[in-house]
Amino acid sequence: MTQIYSPYLSRRHLLLAGAATLAGGLMPRTALAEAPPLGGTVPGWYRFGIGDIEATIISDGLLNLGSANDQFPNAPQDDIARIMKEEFLPADPMMLEQNCLVLNIANRVVLFDSGIGSDQTFGDKAGRMLRNLQAAGIEPGQVDDVVLTHAHCDHCWGLVADDGALNFPNATVHISQVDFDYWTDEANLSGPGFIPFFVAGARKNLLPYRDRLSFVADGKEVMPGVTAISTPGHTPGHISYVIASGGQTFLNVGDVVHHYALLFENPGWRFAFDSDPGMAAETRLKLFDMAASEEMPMIGYHFPFPGLGNIRREGSAYAYVPIPMVHA
Ligand SMILES: [Zn+2]
């Protein structure tokens, strides 16, 4: 019997048809070709347009952040449990994607954030950026500029290989001077908590590029079509980027917001890895207000792949609305 799938047939019709087939004595056919499971990973890149700019999201894979309760220590734990249940997500472990953005602007190849490299502090599902970059048809040697939102491990530890060789031998690295100075400061190797670990990795990845650094500044163009906006709090010198071309605009938010389900609904929550959680929340509210007022779509480093979405106001809070992928 030929099964016809149609939106006009109800599930009940299909169930009845299936029951009739079995009742008629026909057995489900056995497979004629062997098709063992293939394993492997999810698609690692997605290409789209921003006006005249060709944009590609390159996945660096997933980070395992452990318990959401530990990551938002001051948030009501009942709220975390409720939201994650409503989103059909585990609250432990809380997983975050890593979406690196590549722009092809007038024959320049510009990479935003480098992924975490080979470090497995946050699990073994990360560190896939270089592989996925090449799968997308882009060689690391073609990258002219690496533009950083900030100097945390998951954003800059992919700049050098384990032996210290430059992964992007022809690139200039753009970063705020505040973040560069803080995260490469030897004195911070004796800082509290996770700081020394992050500083050691930032020094390893950033200092080899010290002769080819360019400091970005609030309100200034990094290159035609890309403007830096100072968004401090998550790190002292965190930067977001407005990308505009041909009447289209995207806001590359970096880590001003990371978990789409928790932080749009609760923009005031404090995240354990924020340098200044109060300032981070203030910055988040300002950026949300701007993006919602101007209906500016976002590119989120940690949103579900490929990380493109709009923001909708809901009372005094917000909601994240993912943008469906388009087929070129
Ligand atoms: Zn991050």
Side-chain angles (χ1 to χ4, degrees), residues 63 65 96-98 113 149-150 152-155 234 238 254-255 257-258 271 273 301-302:
L63 299 176
L65 273 88
L96 289 178
E97 293 271 1
Q98 298 174 93
D113 295 337
T149 56
H150 62 298
H152 273 179
C153 56
D154 48 325
H155 299 259
H234 181 60
H238 188 283
D255 277 15
V257 49
H258 29 87
F271 181 50
F273 285 104
Y301 190 78
H302 291 301

Side-chain angles (χ1 to χ4, degrees), residues 148 174-181 214-216 236-239 241:
L148 298 176
H174 305 258
I175 184 173
S176 72
Q177 183 159 11
V178 173
D179 244 36
F180 180 82
D181 288 350
S214 173
F215 292 126
V216 302
H238 188 283
I239 299 281
Y241 297 91

Side-chain angles (χ1 to χ4, degrees), residues 204-253:
K204 179 180 176 186
N205 280 275
L206 287 170
L207 293 181
Y209 290 87
R210 68 170 10 134
D211 296 334
R212 48 215 302 178
L213 282 178
S214 173
F215 292 126
V216 302
D218 184 38
K220 295 278 188 312
E221 261 196 348
V222 183
M223 58 200 61
V226 178
T227 304
I229 314 178
S230 175
T231 45
H234 181 60
T235 60
H238 188 283
I239 299 281
S240 302
Y241 297 91
V242 174
I243 299 153
S245 171
Q248 270 194 300
T249 304
F250 271 84
L251 175 62
N252 184 6
V253 294

Side-chain angles (χ1 to χ4, degrees), residues 259-277:
H259 202 288
Y260 76 97
L262 297 171
L263 283 175
F264 282 89
E265 188 174 326
N266 302 282
W269 280 7
R270 292 166 171 238
F271 181 50
F273 285 104
D274 287 340
S275 285
D276 182 336

